[in-house]
Amino acid sequence: MTVSIVLFTSDLRLHDHPPLRAALDGSDAVVPLFVRDEAVADAGFTAPNRMAFLADCLADLDSGLRERGGRLVVRSGDVVTEVTGVAAEAGADDVHIAAGVSAYAQRREERLRSALAARGRRLHVHDAVVTALAPGAVTPAASDHFAVFTPYYRRWARQPLRDPAAAPQAVRVPDGIGSEPVPSRPEVTAVSEGLARGGEKEARRRLAAWLRGGIGAYEDRHDDLPGDATSRLSPHLHFGTLSPVELVHRARGAGGPGAEAFVRQVAWRDFHHQVLAVRPDASTADYRSRHDRWRSQAEAKDDIEAWREGRTGYPVVDAAMRQLRHEGWMHNRGRLLTASFLVKTLYVDWRIGARHFLDLLVDGDVANNQLNWQWMAGTGTDSRPNRVLNPVAQARRYDPDGAYVRRWVPELAAIAGNAVHEPWKLRGPARVAPDYPEPIVELSEGLARFKKARGLD
Ligand code: FAD
């Protein structure tokens, strides 16, 4: 009997899963393996919200495999030791894995390849599983990656995508391969109260609802903060409970300007992945240095704390930061304006903001988080690196009636209309919202400090 292993990583699904398809086609039995990788925990990437969501995903993957006659095998420890150990136990000559882009994923691939080869076994790495298009599938003439999104997107959109693979009917797992219990969400503590549910079934339910309902209005409504009219599929793309290839095919099938705008946004995800694949150091180092000398942690300590806690005195910033804490997720417009506020208005190093986001975001992702932070800091791929988003102007535009702020900042709930965006104007003898802080910085002062630091004045 021939046996293969499928090592699941950021691809926790059964639909459109090329590594699983290849393993099933090439052998009599398959070990679907997930390793709780100690290196990921050591690197500080196991934030409670993601661990809770992951537990949902693994439970659902196990149940999907059981419906097909199989089961998930879970191990903990060093990923290479566990994979080679299971390969020896099962007599598996082939191991299938989805290609990853982070420095860690690239190293894992190399280590696995050489450890398996030393034992006469083979590693098969599958592209276009974690992204719609493989990083490097399109490149400009004189470089190994695109540094600007628009030309990337033009090429990306013309590139044919592979056809999605159907979910298998049956999965035969060899007997006698031991597994730890599949982790469950209640074991995880310090989880955000409003955290979404994970798992492939939930992803597919959400996708179907999105294609039926939300996508048509996406172009007009994606920036509407209180409307909450985006797909919320990001954690499913992050954990791979949804295939980006299938998503793009099905979104295109929906047709219309909403679908086009949505697919363009999904391409941003591929864009950041193709940058990180060739510049893995961009997870911590400036992609393009602007020679910033950020305020020291000690000097900015109170400002950083106020930003994290949603007590900056700028209601839309605070609303978004509180949404992040409560849900483990934040609207894209909120991410943009809170990031701008930290890096530009407070002139605090983007790495501090990115770390806080990674501590809470259920979709927290090295490629998308770090490179979006760099984009907003002007050290990344933004062609206008010195843009500053004014939080009051942003609030008036994207939360015109103030409903988003009232939802997340209860101290301000009694203020009607868009006056809620500038509560300091209602102060004085009237003392509206006495519990709400005064702004921690004047916007004009923040702007002047930033311009001086970047040599723009
Ligand atoms: P939709 O608007 O429905 O978009 C569909 C999908 O397209 C998203 O699920 C996502 O996969 C992709 N997408 C949309 N916008 C972007 C973008 N700007 N960059 C990359 N992909 C995008 N996204 C993450 O997935 N993980 C992160 O850790 C992350 N951190 C961010 C940090 C900052 C400072 C900023 C400004 C953005 C960040 N984003 C991140 C991108 C974006 O905010 C989220 O993908 C989006 O808000 C998720 O909500 P949604 O699924 O409803 O998005």
Side-chain angles (χ1 to χ4, degrees), residues 219-251:
E219 195 187 19
D220 297 332
R221 298 197 57 209
H222 69 274
D223 264 329
D224 173 358
L225 272 170
D228 201 358
T230 64
S231 70
R232 288 190 177 241
L233 290 172
S234 53
H236 294 289
L237 287 165
H238 174 68
F239 285 93
T241 45
L242 196 60
S243 148
V245 170
E246 183 186 352
L247 175 64
V248 172
H249 275 295
R250 291 183 61 182

Side-chain angles (χ1 to χ4, degrees), residues 108-128:
R108 175 176 62 198
E109 241 166 68
E110 281 162 28
R111 287 182 59 220
L112 276 171
R113 185 176 285 109
S114 63
L116 289 166
R119 293 161 180 83
R121 307 186 203 279
R122 293 172 294 267
L123 181 72
H124 305 267
V125 179
H126 297 260
D127 278 330

Side-chain angles (χ1 to χ4, degrees), residues 29 38 64 152 161 208 256 278 301 325 359 363 372 416:
E38 62 193 17
Y152 173 74
L161 296 183
V278 293
K301 185 169 161 284
R325 198 171 281 280
D359 286 344
D363 61 25
N372 269 297

Side-chain angles (χ1 to χ4, degrees), residues 229-382:
T230 64
S231 70
R232 288 190 177 241
L233 290 172
S234 53
H236 294 289
L237 287 165
H238 174 68
F239 285 93
T241 45
L242 196 60
S243 148
V245 170
E246 183 186 352
L247 175 64
V248 172
H249 275 295
R250 291 183 61 182
R252 281 181 176 152
E260 205 177 311
F262 177 74
V263 167
R264 188 173 195 276
Q265 219 53 34
V266 177
W268 267 103
R269 186 174 173 273
D270 277 15
F271 172 71
H272 288 138
H273 279 73
Q274 59 96 46
V275 173
L276 194 69
V278 293
R279 287 283 307 273
D281 63 310
S283 64
T284 51
D286 287 349
Y287 176 75
R288 274 201 194 104
S289 173
R290 304 289 173 197
H291 309 290
D292 287 295
R293 298 179 60 179
W294 306 107
R295 290 164 73 206
S296 73
Q297 289 238 31
E299 184 199 337
K301 185 169 161 284
D302 292 346
D303 287 352
I304 296 169
E305 201 45 35
W307 178 81
R308 285 187 181 133
E309 295 302 320
R311 293 192 60 78
T312 64
Y314 287 95
V316 76
V317 172
D318 295 342
M321 295 306 292
R322 295 183 196 191
Q323 178 180 28
L324 172 63
R325 198 171 281 280
H326 183 82
E327 295 190 357
W329 185 88
M330 194 200 284
H331 192 285
N332 180 57
R333 183 50 51 185
R335 298 188 203 206
L336 287 166
L337 64 89
T338 54
S340 169
F341 189 79
L342 186 78
V343 294
K344 304 249 164 98
T345 306
L346 297 178
Y347 199 55
V348 167
D349 192 332
W350 63 266
R351 280 157 279 248
I352 292 174
R355 178 73 258 168
H356 180 70
F357 270 33
L358 278 184
D359 286 344
L360 289 169
L361 277 177
V362 63
D363 61 25
D365 183 296
V366 177
N368 283 336
N369 190 57
Q370 309 306 90
L371 292 171
N372 269 297
W373 269 96
Q374 293 230 43
W375 188 90
M376 198 65 248
T379 58
T381 58
D382 187 5

Side-chain angles (χ1 to χ4, degrees), residues 205 207-215:
R205 186 197 65 74
L207 171 63
W210 173 246
L211 296 176
R212 256 195 331 269
I215 196 169

Side-chain angles (χ1 to χ4, degrees), residues 104-188:
Y104 176 71
Q106 294 188 34
R107 218 168 33 246
R108 175 176 62 198
E109 241 166 68
E110 281 162 28
R111 287 182 59 220
L112 276 171
R113 185 176 285 109
S114 63
L116 289 166
R119 293 161 180 83
R121 307 186 203 279
R122 293 172 294 267
L123 181 72
H124 305 267
V125 179
H126 297 260
D127 278 330
V129 179
V130 168
T131 50
L133 215 59
V138 291
T139 49
S143 173
D144 53 2
H145 72 291
F146 278 93
V148 181
F149 176 72
T150 307
Y152 173 74
Y153 178 62
R154 247 183 260 125
R155 292 276 303 281
W156 184 95
R158 285 204 306 265
Q159 203 67 14
L161 296 183
R162 62 171 178 77
D163 289 332
Q169 301 275 325
V171 178
R172 182 173 168 210
V173 178
D175 295 333
I177 308 296
S179 172
E180 294 167 14
V182 177
S184 85
R185 183 190 271 221
E187 291 163 20
V188 189

